[in-house]
Amino acid sequence: TAAVRCPCGGEPELHGCAEKRHCVVPAVDKCRQDASDCTADAKRYPGSSCVIRCRDDPSSFVTASCPSTNTDPARHLDYYPLRCTLTTCADPPETEGYNKTAEGWVCADGYYGVVRFECLPNATGWTYPACSAVGQLSGCQRITTCGMAPLPPVDACKIDASGCQDVQAGSTCELKCRFPFEGFKTIGIC
């Protein structure tokens, strides 16, 4: 808030005003993001905005803006984080649980899930402008048999779960009452 100070015996002073300042272009991952639209001063002036885009998918972008009241010369443009991925990289080394087909990567026999292929930085990280990346697979898990969790001693006397040991994935088993107890049978699903 602007105010005038009148010191005793001195000249009146204007106090509380500060010059509006341009915001700073944020440090983005140059291998995956393009902030070149934000380099011009006019795009970083208080109240202005610019666009940060994904390099491999320019239709994915966020708007970065400089607050209209900015007086801090070190303030970065405000923007929501933008998740961009590299779409071109080498296949990973042979990975257990995955097979490559003509259609792309799939879970190998004995595994299930949805394959996710992602390009990640190599061992030394991103190095602009080379931006070399290595492919990484995730999403497939080994299919295992199911076993019945141990029953509390009271229930173990009442429930016969002997048919529910080592049940194959996708299969069912039957739980029933032990003699002399009576009740409905129920099905366990693996």
Side-chain angles (χ1 to χ4, degrees), residues 49-189:
S49 63
C50 57
V51 173
I52 298 173
R53 298 183 183 279
C54 289
R55 285 199 180 276
D56 280 0
D57 180 10
S59 66
S60 293
F61 65 90
V62 294
T63 300
S65 61
C66 186
S68 61
T69 58
N70 184 52
T71 57
D72 179 1
R75 182 182 180 127
H76 287 90
L77 292 166
D78 293 335
Y79 71 101
Y80 288 104
L82 179 62
R83 179 164 166 71
C84 302
T85 58
L86 288 177
T87 56
T88 306
C89 60
D91 284 340
E94 194 168 317
T95 306
E96 182 180 352
Y98 300 88
N99 287 331
K100 183 147 188 194
T101 67
E103 289 79 37
W105 290 97
V106 296
C107 292
D109 289 340
Y111 290 79
Y112 75 98
V114 177
V115 176
R116 180 175 175 181
F117 179 84
E118 187 174 21
C119 295
L120 298 175
N122 62 21
T124 60
W126 301 119
T127 306
Y128 186 79
C131 300
S132 61
V134 62
Q136 182 175 347
L137 297 166
S138 62
C140 295
Q141 297 180 19
R142 183 182 295 278
I143 297 172
T144 60
T145 59
C146 297
M148 185 70 188
L151 294 170
V154 172
D155 291 338
C157 292
K158 297 177 184 177
I159 300 171
D160 178 4
S162 61
C164 291
Q165 304 304 319
D166 295 324
V167 178
Q168 295 299 312
S171 300
T172 61
C173 64
E174 184 179 81
L175 295 140
K176 56 189 174 191
C177 294
R178 291 186 186 274
F179 180 80
F181 298 97
E182 291 185 17
F184 296 103
K185 296 177 185 176
T186 190
I187 300 294
I189 301 171

